Every structure is written in structure tokens, then in C-alpha cells.
Amino acid sequence: MRPLFHPALEDIKPEAILYALSDPERVAIFAKLAGAGGGGTCSALADLGNRVIPKSSLSNHFKVLRESGLIMSERQGVEMRNQTRCTELDERFPGLIRAILTAYGQLPGQPKAN
Amino acid sequence: MRPLFHPALEDIKPEAILYALSDPERVAIFAKLAGAGGGGTCSALADLGNRVIPKSSLSNHFKVLRESGLIMSERQGVEMRNQTRCTELDERFPGLIRAILTAYGQLPGQPKAN
DNA sequence: TCAACAGTTCCGAATTTCGGAACTATGGAA
DNA sequence: TTCCATAGTTCCGAAATTCGGAACTGTTGA
């Protein structure tokens, strides 16, 4: 297993962010992670209610989120702890993440807009 | 040529917006249109400096922008007049478009962030 | 040493994107 | 009218991407 790649803050590309968050499943995962404060594991974040996401797809979702710069993942024992990079991101792209989550109606503790 | 489809405001999906704007070429076109006030034609918006975009790709870009709800297109004589739906969009997804254009450093009259 | 678990990688099938060539619609000129 | 030029769309095959099952890797606990 090669080490996980995380882009440096200044290397994060807006197109990668938008692409990553143009998939509702990934948004749901990311929003859940943003809401859940601490680091959720992959499988804990996987339950989106409506569908069983195959492990490999899930792994790929996390990879896309990670490599776009949206999350940080770190192995801790047998599982993976994930956390958002929201604070950093907001410095680089002010208001972006919040506006996106709001658009999806996924901002923690907010009524669904969609 | 079938008539052009434009989604109603309430049918616009955030995922479609993000997907459409996850392509730098489309962003460049959209930003140019947003900057250029009035309705630019397809070919007028096509010149992004760095690359000759094939007509068919260009047509497809406009289709993606149109069907995601980002722009309105209307035939006027031999050409196509396009305009952004920024005002409507900002009502439905407050701050979203601006945050995205800012992230790309494409907000009219702003230094490049990327 | 082994089994179980969390997640990754591999790889073939299905889907999507890209772009050249042919086509369509409109307006102006002869 | 007919013909031509212009602006854009559609078609369709090739290339690239995505999806997901199966096999694999790394870690912990028995």
C-alpha cells in the first residue's frame, strides 16, 4: 500500500474541489465528516442510508476527496481516521466550502435545500 | 436542431453546477460571460488564449453550462446569445457562484489566485 | 501463527468525454 | 429564388474515466 498523498494547501486546485464535490455520495461523506467533528473512519462514514456503497467505490471516493485536498486521512491501527481540511481550505478559498455545503443543504444543522 | 433545454430555477441541482464548473475551460467561458455583461456569442467566448477549442467541444461546453442552469442561450439570427443566470442562481444558492469564481481567481477585475 | 477486519489495488465492463466530419438553420448576395 | 457563408449542432468512433467484484495488504488480537 503506497503512502497516502495529500496536496499542500497551495497546490489545491479549485477544479479538483468542485469535481470531488460534484458527486452527491462524496458530498454526503464529506458533510458527515464535517459535521462529526472528530475523525470518522471510512466504514463509519459509509452509511448514507439509501445504498450500500461497495468497498472499492468507497475507497475511491476517499481517494478523490483526499487528493483534491478536502480531507486528511491517517492510518490509526487497523482503521483510517479522516478529517476535513475546512479551516485551511477556507483560508485559501474563502467561503467556498460553506457555500457548497449550503447549496446542497448539507451544512450541519440546516434544512435541506434540495 | 431540437430546442434548447433550460432547467427551471427550482430544478437546478448543485451537483450539476459543480460538475459544470469543475472544468477550467468552462469556467473561463462562464467567467468571460459573467464579465461581459451582455450576451456573448459562442465563438466570441471561445477564445481562451491558450488553445483552439474544436467547435464540437465548444458546443458541448455550452450545452453543459446551459443544462446545468448556469447560462441562458437564445438564438438570435445566425448566432447564439448567451447570458449567465447569476442573479437567479444567487437567490437559490447564495454566495455559491461568487465563491467559485473567486476561488478560480476569475471574478471580474480580480487578481489570479491560481 | 492464524483469523478477522479495514481498507487498497487490480482489472475488465460500462459509461462518459473528446473531436473530426457531416449536417442544419439563418441571413445576405446575386 | 438559388446560392453561399457563417454559427452552431449532431453523429459517431476512439480514447479516457468510472464502477465494482475479487484478490490483496497491513494491523491487531487470540
Side-chain angles (χ1 to χ4, degrees), chain A residues 34-45:
Chain A
T41 66
C42 293
S43 45
L45 294 159

Side-chain angles (χ1 to χ4, degrees), chain A residues 76-114:
Chain A
Q76 198 145 37
V78 77
E79 58 198 11
M80 210 71 154
R81 316 248 85 193
N82 297 288
Q83 54 186 309
T84 71
R85 297 177 68 180
C86 284
T87 310
E88 288 178 88
L89 280 166
D90 197 59
E91 182 187 312
R92 179 145 161 69
F93 304 123
L96 181 63
I97 304 301
R98 164 168 287 261
I100 292 173
L101 292 183
T102 303
Y104 275 106
Q106 290 279 12
L107 211 54
Q110 207 189 252
K112 281 231 166 194
N114 204 31

Side-chain angles (χ1 to χ4, degrees), chain A residues 10 14 16 18 23-25 30 36-37 47 70 74 76-77 82-84 114:
Chain A
E10 65 270 23
L18 294 222
D23 179 321
E25 265 175 10
F30 180 76
D47 180 17
L70 281 161
E74 154 181 50
Q76 198 145 37
N82 297 288
Q83 54 186 309
T84 71
N114 204 31

Side-chain angles (χ1 to χ4, degrees), chain B residues 36-109:
Chain B
T41 67
C42 294
S43 44
L45 294 159
D47 180 17
L48 310 178
N50 31 357
R51 191 176 81 100
V52 181
I53 306 177
K55 279 175 19 147
S56 58
S57 302
L58 201 50
S59 182
N60 188 56
H61 281 331
F62 278 94
K63 184 181 180 191
V64 171
L65 290 170
R66 191 187 317 120
E67 301 196 342
S68 72
L70 282 161
I71 67 173
M72 275 273 302
S73 314
E74 155 180 49
R75 176 148 224 160
Q76 199 146 37
V78 76
E79 57 198 12
M80 211 72 156
R81 315 249 86 192
N82 297 288
Q83 55 187 306
T84 71
R85 297 177 68 180
C86 284
T87 311
E88 289 178 87
L89 280 166
D90 197 58
E91 183 187 311
R92 179 144 159 71
F93 303 124
L96 181 63
I97 304 301
R98 164 168 287 263
I100 293 173
L101 291 184
T102 303
Y104 275 105
Q106 290 280 12
L107 212 54

